[in-house]
Amino acid sequence: MELNRDNMKKILGIIAFTVLLYAAFQRWEMIAAGLQKLFGYVFPFVLGACMAFVLNVPMRFIEIRVIERWIKDPKNYIYKNRRAISLVVTLILVVGVLFFVFFQVVPALVDTIGAVIEQSQVAFQALQRWAYKLGDRYPDIAQRLAEIQLDWDEIIQKAGTWLRSAGSQVVTSTIGVATSVAGKVVNFFLALIFSFYVLMQKEKLGRQCKQLLYAFLPEKVVQRFLHIASLSSLTFARFLSGQCLEACILGAMFFVALTLLGFPYALLIGVLVAFTALIPIFGAMIGLMVGDFLLLMVDPMKALWFIVLFFVLQQLEGNLIYPHVVGNSVGLPSIWVLVAVTVGGNAMGIPGMLLFIPISSVIYALLREDVYGRLKRRYGDKAKALTAVNPPVMPRRKKKPKDPPGKGV
């Protein structure tokens, strides 16, 4: 290799990258702590960007499909302020849905917990009566229990010592929790305000990002990056829409089935299952536990039958409805939807379930584009015929030749 100026720059760059990589491996804990601290600084803005992306899906529908479709006059007040109106309507819808779910679920849970407390009091009184009857029937046991001597002064002293130590810990923990909660509330409102700015100026921000990319990166790299970003945005938006549609279908299935079978809390359980089903495939299990707890206080047999009904509908939804609704919305085959949910859940829990489906869809689409392009460049029009899967052909059995006439006579 000729040691000219360009090659020397490449060699020095490789050496510098190797040294930095070695130093990073040697100080990995320090780098990880620094990155974690840096992420804490930018977390409100990352959260705000995520909130803006989620809110942008219904906001764009209201802005384009509703306002721009029905109001054509550019001088109209609603048309000129369509972005702000769409954002306000979206926030009202989201907050309304959350309040509807909250006021449907919480009162029923409060009533059920109250019923549990009442039944526990009745059970405690029954236990007392049973203990008295047991003492009357077996006086030896009652006499031995009466002979047990307890040093109440020592017990009270130890209890006071424990309460003082526990009290100081509780105060310290309460201050820490209050500080943490206050910080999280502040971060949430910062993220919400940042998401409003992003939604109101998304075209301007997009143009500025393109200018930065084209100013510092080669054109081919920028075009590839913008293609991946556009595909990712479209895939995540379709996944969010498909997930909401699937949750509504599952909630409606539970509401109709419970109503037809005469179960109580049909609307409440349907809403709860639909809300928790936003977590892919396994989220409805939360609805199962809460719904079964509600039914258990009314009729234990119906609670048992609800478990059977839940697993029947869950199998129908998980194997048929979910892969087709969400899989079709993100362009990912049903089998890979199940694989993405399973792998994502094992790797990152609930966030992994939510993220791995659109991420897998983006990887699948990019890999498909690359594979099809390579096949076309290498084999041309023969690629389709070469990669076609032909059904297996069973070998034909040779027929036994017939005996000639007159043989064996």
Side-chain angles (χ1 to χ4, degrees):
M1 181 177 64
E2 185 179 355
L3 293 178
N4 53 27
R5 187 173 182 180
D6 293 336
N7 291 333
M8 287 297 297
K9 285 184 177 180
K10 293 179 180 179
I11 294 172
L12 291 175
I14 293 172
I15 294 173
F17 176 77
T18 305
V19 172
L20 290 175
L21 186 63
Y22 177 77
F25 276 114
Q26 293 295 321
R27 298 289 186 270
W28 174 249
E29 295 181 356
M30 184 185 300
I31 294 174
L35 291 176
Q36 186 176 4
K37 192 172 183 179
L38 178 62
F39 181 75
Y41 291 146
V42 301
F43 175 75
F45 306 106
V46 175
L47 179 61
C50 296
M51 294 170 65
F53 181 84
V54 174
L55 294 175
N56 183 58
V57 176
M59 191 191 81
R60 184 172 55 187
F61 177 84
I62 296 171
E63 181 180 357
I64 298 175
R65 300 292 183 87
V66 178
I67 296 178
E68 291 185 359
R69 183 175 181 180
W70 295 102
I71 300 176
K72 304 294 184 181
D73 186 11
K75 298 181 180 180
N76 189 286
Y77 177 80
I78 297 177
Y79 187 87
K80 288 191 295 185
N81 298 277
R82 60 189 183 276
R83 177 65 54 82
I85 294 173
S86 301
L87 178 58
V88 171
V89 173
T90 300
L91 290 176
I92 292 174
L93 290 176
V94 172
V95 173
V97 170
L98 293 176
F99 269 98
F100 176 75
V101 174
F102 181 81
F103 286 112
Q104 280 285 328
V105 175
V106 172
L109 286 177
V110 171
D111 295 339
T112 305
I113 292 172
V116 171
I117 294 174
E118 292 178 0
Q119 292 184 9
S120 63
Q121 293 175 350
V122 174
F124 181 73
Q125 293 174 359
L127 182 62
Q128 280 184 324
R129 291 193 296 269
W130 176 80
Y132 291 145
K133 291 180 180 179
L134 186 65
D136 295 337
R137 184 176 299 179
Y138 302 100
D140 295 339
I141 297 177
Q143 183 178 359
R144 290 183 180 180
L145 291 175
E147 291 176 356
I148 297 176
Q149 299 294 328
L150 297 176
D151 190 352
W152 291 107
D153 294 334
E154 184 180 357
I155 292 174
I156 293 173
Q157 184 179 2
K158 289 183 178 180
T161 305
W162 180 81
L163 286 175
R164 283 193 294 272
S165 62
S168 61
Q169 293 178 0
V170 167
V171 171
T172 306
S173 302
T174 303
I175 294 173
V177 170
T179 306
S180 177
V181 170
K184 292 182 185 303
V185 170
V186 171
N187 286 339
F188 174 78
F189 280 103
L190 284 175
L192 188 63
I193 294 171
F194 180 73
S195 68
F196 293 163
Y197 278 105
V198 172
L199 291 171
M200 294 299 294
Q201 302 179 8
K202 55 184 180 180
E203 289 84 4
K204 183 179 179 180
L205 291 174
R207 184 172 64 254
Q208 291 175 346
C209 291
K210 284 186 178 181
Q211 290 173 349
L212 285 173
L213 291 173
Y214 277 110
F216 294 100
L217 295 175
E219 183 178 355
K220 290 184 178 180
V221 175
V222 175
Q223 290 178 353
R224 184 63 176 173
F225 175 81
L226 293 177
H227 172 66
I228 296 174
S230 176
L231 180 62
S232 302
S233 175
L234 181 62
T235 302
F236 273 82
R238 287 179 175 176
F239 169 72
L240 182 63
S241 303
Q243 193 69 30
C244 293
L245 176 60
E246 185 269 341
C248 293
I249 292 173
L250 184 61
M253 287 170 57
F254 270 90
F255 171 70
V256 172
L258 294 175
T259 302
L260 293 177
L261 295 175
F263 279 67
Y265 302 117
L267 178 60
L268 171 62
I269 294 175
V271 171
L272 183 63
V273 169
F275 189 76
T276 56
L278 293 174
I279 303 171
I281 294 183
F282 304 108
M285 295 296 293
I286 303 173
L288 166 66
M289 293 185 289
V290 178
D292 198 61
F293 177 70
L294 294 173
L295 293 174
L296 185 63
M297 296 297 103
V298 178
D299 189 345
M301 284 304 298
K302 285 187 176 180
L304 180 62
W305 282 111
F306 174 70
I307 296 176
V308 177
L309 176 65
F310 174 85
F311 281 107
V312 171
L313 294 179
Q314 181 71 5
Q315 289 297 316
L316 179 64
E317 180 264 348
N319 294 302
L320 295 177
I321 298 175
Y322 185 85
H324 287 85
V325 172
V326 180
N328 291 336
S329 65
V330 298
L332 192 64
S334 303
I335 184 173
W336 298 119
V337 172
L338 295 175
V339 172
V341 170
T342 304
V343 175
N346 291 330
M348 300 173 56
I350 293 176
M353 295 180 187
L354 294 172
L355 292 175
F356 267 57
I357 293 178
I359 291 175
S360 300
S361 178
V362 173
I363 295 174
Y364 179 82
L366 294 174
L367 184 61
R368 182 176 57 188
E369 288 180 0
D370 188 59
V371 168
Y372 284 175
R374 288 173 178 268
L375 289 174
K376 189 173 182 179
R377 289 192 300 269
R378 182 172 295 182
Y379 299 105
D381 296 336
K382 297 190 301 181
K384 188 174 181 180
L386 289 172
T387 57
V389 179
N390 299 317
V393 179
M394 296 297 294
R396 294 183 178 181
R397 296 180 62 183
K398 294 182 180 180
K399 294 183 179 179
K400 187 177 181 179
K402 296 182 178 180
D403 294 335
K407 184 177 180 181
V409 178

